[in-house]
Amino acid sequence: MNSHMNNVPISEFAIVIGGYAFKSEDFIEEGIPVIKIKNIGNKKLSFEETDYLPHSFLDIPNKFKIKFGDVLISMTGSHITQPNSAVGRVARSYSREISLLNQRVGKMQVNPKKCDLGFLYHYMSSDVFRDQIGLRSRGAANQANVSGKDIEGIPIPNFSLEAQRKIATILSAYDDLIEINLNCIKLLEEMAQITYEEWFVRLKFPGHETTPMDSETGLPEGWERRSLLSVAVFLNGYAFKPEDLGENGYPIIKIKEIKNGVESSTPRNEGKDLPKKFIIDEGDILFSWSASLEVVIWQYETGLLNQHLFKVIPIYDIPKSFLFLALRESLPIFNNLTTGATMKHIKRKELDFVKIIVPHKDLLDEFNKFADSTFLEVLNLNRQIRFLKEARDIFLPRLMTAMIDVEQLVLPHTLQVEGGICDEII
């Protein structure tokens, strides 16, 4: 911390409210969502694999209810070197629906006369706070715990309420723009998938009304069903050994990176002795064929392909965007074909079994013009997100340590957003 900035314990600004010990027999399939440790994601709540309680539980005290804007912290987890499951993960609720606070999840309750909740949230998202959690956590590496008192004892910069609000406004502007871009990406990807389904699943493509059908194939004339192995090369990743995992070089892209992108915990390798075919570039199609079946367009820095992932390379006349959407459309079929009791996976022979519909070249080219421009915009938006995160993460510690005079700060011009592609979509 800056020597000119006094620190006080978080308890001067806020307290931690622990969650309620709900009974397992009370949970039901639908109802009021309950936020458990597993739902605390990276700076936001995840509602995947959510448990629910009957609406009668809304009668519990308000302190156990989670509302829009609430700041939550996981009080149990792995060591802080494993950020996706670490103790002390911080998330903010952006849901308009009430949810319930489970045990071992803490909710921050600020004194509004002393503390801005947004400022506290951003401080708790910093590396300084994470390191303090690491110092205070107890237990094994995969089962570390902190108490509410531990969290309340962590030092925090003693800014004035006005300065706190200014810091929160500036940092939130970055988060807001990141969220706008993420929503744009979601809309663009959904639009591309819907168009694919309309043209090639429902066969409502341009000119379908006057296109003759082939009685043998049941498809429009000139169209055909082709196996995935006939339209693409599926390159399995390299089997890296533990001694290959280092801190320098290219990031090694595993299933975790498919979901979360490249993180500080991602292992690296110089790649000097690795065949060039295992290099992944931005825009490549990746298909995780083990554990979790997913298809993505890689949107991060150049990396190295790990085993359990395919790099999918289109061949002949198949455009990359069309192939990506066809693979996404085929995922339900693959999920039905998975084998394995504990870790489900697909076998290479199933790539020959699963077939996609390929239209005639003119229509394929017409679709690809639309799809390529859509995914180019997605890649551009992802680049913007990376730049915004880097800028925010540089700015945050400088603000929190008073390296920058908060009183002189003006909202950066780059965060002024008026209109854009999402407005056109909406």
Side-chain angles (χ1 to χ4, degrees), residues 106-267:
K107 181 175 75 171
M108 306 306 298
Q109 180 174 296
V110 301
N111 179 342
K113 295 181 179 179
K114 289 186 175 183
C115 184
D116 179 86
L117 184 60
F119 167 77
L120 179 63
Y121 163 69
H122 286 292
Y123 178 72
M124 292 175 67
S125 302
S126 69
D127 290 341
V128 171
F129 178 83
R130 184 196 63 189
D131 291 343
Q132 289 289 332
I133 286 287
L135 291 173
R136 287 163 169 76
S137 62
R138 295 172 294 277
N142 61 348
Q143 187 67 39
N145 298 284
V146 291
S147 68
K149 292 299 180 186
D150 291 331
I151 297 166
E152 291 171 8
I154 292 175
I156 186 170
N158 190 19
F159 286 107
S160 68
L161 187 57
E162 180 183 355
Q164 290 178 37
R165 286 171 177 161
K166 185 170 284 190
I167 290 171
T169 298
I170 292 166
L171 293 173
S172 294
Y174 283 97
D175 284 344
D176 290 346
L177 190 49
I178 288 168
E179 194 65 27
I180 288 170
N181 282 354
L182 287 171
N183 288 334
C184 286
I185 289 169
K186 183 179 179 182
L187 285 169
L188 287 165
E189 290 180 340
E190 287 177 351
M191 183 172 65
Q193 198 71 45
I194 288 170
T195 305
Y196 175 89
E197 292 172 4
E198 188 72 7
W199 286 28
F200 306 117
V201 178
R202 299 183 183 91
L203 303 184
K204 302 294 184 182
F205 54 91
H208 70 277
E209 301 92 343
T210 57
T211 300
M213 301 293 287
D214 187 312
S215 58
E216 290 187 12
T217 64
L219 298 174
E221 286 188 1
W223 293 34
E224 57 183 336
R225 286 187 176 87
R226 291 165 64 175
S227 73
L228 288 173
L229 284 181
S230 72
V231 297
V233 173
F234 289 78
L235 174 68
N236 194 19
Y238 185 80
F240 289 96
K241 300 174 182 177
E243 57 266 30
D244 297 327
L245 310 181
E247 296 181 358
N248 299 312
Y250 297 106
I252 297 173
I253 310 309
K254 309 180 299 301
I255 292 174
K256 188 178 78 168
E257 281 68 33
I258 286 263
K259 294 175 176 290
N260 304 313
V262 177
E263 300 178 319
S264 58
S265 59
T266 299

Side-chain angles (χ1 to χ4, degrees), residues 380-424:
N380 288 334
L381 288 168
N382 267 292
R383 289 190 200 110
Q384 291 181 32
I385 289 172
R386 294 202 300 275
F387 294 148
L388 286 165
K389 285 181 176 179
E390 289 170 6
R392 179 199 62 197
D393 293 345
I394 291 171
F395 215 24
L396 189 152
R398 294 181 180 182
L399 287 170
M400 292 297 180
T401 56
M403 289 176 63
I404 299 173
D405 186 348
V406 178
E407 303 300 334
Q408 300 301 317
L409 283 174
V410 178
L411 190 66
H413 176 71
T414 53
L415 299 186
Q416 305 289 346
V417 183
E418 295 181 6
I421 189 165
C422 277
D423 295 323
E424 297 172 14

Side-chain angles (χ1 to χ4, degrees), residues 301-319:
E301 63 186 277
T302 299
L304 302 175
L305 187 70
N306 190 56
Q307 61 182 344
H308 303 304
L309 295 179
F310 288 131
K311 179 165 75 171
V312 186
I313 308 161
I315 56 178
Y316 304 124
D317 54 347
I318 303 299

Side-chain angles (χ1 to χ4, degrees), residues 20-36 50-58 60 99-102:
Y20 191 90
F22 297 108
K23 296 178 181 178
S24 57
E25 58 264 29
D26 290 327
F27 289 108
I28 56 177
E29 291 188 2
E30 293 185 9
I32 305 300
V34 179
I35 301 303
K36 298 184 173 182
T50 304
D51 297 307
Y52 299 90
L53 286 168
H55 283 77
S56 59
F57 277 83
L58 287 175
I60 66 172
S99 51
L100 302 178
L101 189 71
N102 196 55

